[in-house]
Amino acid sequence: MSFLEQMKKRYTAKKYNPQEKISAEQIAELKEILNLSPSSINSQPWNFIFVNKPELKEKLGEASYFNKEKVLESSHLVVFQVLKNPEDFERQIEENLTEGSVNYYRNMVKPNGEAAIRSWMGHQVYLSLGVLLSACATMGIDSTPMEGIETEKYDEILKNDSYETLFAVAIGKRDENDKNHPEITPKRRLKSEMVILEP
């Protein structure tokens, strides 16, 4: 099946089958795929936390508003985090990136101030979200990207002190009665000519 056909079938799952779990092999593949995600200057200001322990999912579910059921019933929850401290980020890139990449950051990003740096780092993490959702579609794994979570409570629960949560993605196998499935609720997108332009 082509990638286009897979994307036509992918959708945001609203209900999962808690009895169906993603295999350890597929989880290992998703971890490797995320590790290969692109980022500006190869900056990689992120952590990806894979959660499948029921007691931890229970705590995170309580901090997920109307997404609680998805968190609890999914096979795994993937939490996307970004480095908190721009100084830690600068130290990381100095130790791992080329001089050209470091100079780009120093000359093009850093002069814009801390708020802009944090925003720029967050944008890199969102690039990896697209990679995960596409990988899941290719692998036949259902997914639900979620910004509707209490990020500060997630941070308290996960205790990954140098990072802070931006969003999470529930992954697993959809429930056969999921009303958001395209066979029940057809996908709705703007017409192609409204968003795909050729000046």
Side-chain angles (χ1 to χ4, degrees):
M1 184 185 302
S2 72
F3 185 63
L4 175 59
E5 290 305 312
Q6 288 165 335
M7 288 303 292
K8 286 179 179 178
K9 290 186 174 185
R10 125 153 259 282
Y11 77 108
T12 297
K14 299 296 186 184
K15 187 170 179 57
Y16 285 92
N17 180 348
Q19 307 307 318
E20 298 250 12
K21 302 299 180 185
I22 302 173
S23 70
E25 292 76 18
Q26 283 189 308
I27 291 297
E29 189 173 340
L30 285 176
K31 289 176 178 178
E32 187 172 356
I33 287 168
L34 272 176
N35 194 46
L36 293 169
S37 294
S39 58
S40 178
I41 66 166
N42 201 22
S43 52
Q44 305 171 75
W46 49 46
N47 268 184
F48 311 110
I49 303 178
F50 281 70
V51 180
N52 71 337
K53 292 180 180 176
E55 63 274 17
L56 195 50
K57 285 171 67 178
E58 184 71 40
K59 291 178 182 178
L60 294 171
E62 292 297 332
S64 299
Y65 300 119
F66 53 86
N67 288 308
K68 176 181 177 179
E69 184 177 287
K70 301 178 193 78
V71 171
L72 297 180
E73 295 182 348
S74 66
S75 174
H76 290 69
L77 183 70
V78 186
V79 182
F80 289 67
Q81 296 190 318
V82 66
L83 272 165
K84 285 183 186 177
N85 189 333
E87 291 179 1
D88 290 341
F89 172 70
E90 192 162 345
R91 190 160 37 251
Q92 175 177 297
I93 64 172
E94 287 172 351
E95 292 173 358
N96 294 285
L97 300 187
T98 65
E99 183 179 355
S101 294
V102 174
N103 286 338
Y104 174 89
Y105 170 77
R106 287 177 178 161
N107 296 321
M108 304 298 290
V109 180
K110 189 175 181 179
N112 297 319
E114 185 169 324
I117 293 169
R118 290 178 179 278
S119 176
W120 179 82
M121 289 195 297
H123 291 161
Q124 311 317 311
V125 183
Y126 273 87
L127 289 176
S128 67
L129 170 62
V131 171
L132 180 73
L133 297 181
S134 298
C136 285
T138 301
M139 295 166 68
I141 297 170
D142 295 299
S143 60
T144 309
M146 302 179 297
E147 287 185 308
I149 60 175
E150 297 180 77
T151 55
E152 290 183 2
K153 287 186 179 179
Y154 265 55
D155 293 341
E156 291 172 10
I157 294 164
L158 295 170
K159 296 179 172 55
N160 190 19
D161 294 338
S162 295
Y163 292 80
E164 58 190 357
T165 300
L166 291 180
F167 54 89
V169 179
I171 57 176
K173 181 67 176 175
R174 68 174 177 88
D175 186 278
E176 62 180 17
N177 296 316
D178 186 352
K179 293 180 180 177
N180 206 42
H181 191 279
E183 291 179 0
I184 301 172
T185 304
K187 292 179 78 159
R188 294 172 53 179
R189 295 292 187 270
L190 294 173
K191 290 184 179 179
S192 176
E193 56 268 26
M194 295 177 64
V195 294
I196 309 297
L197 308 178
E198 294 186 23

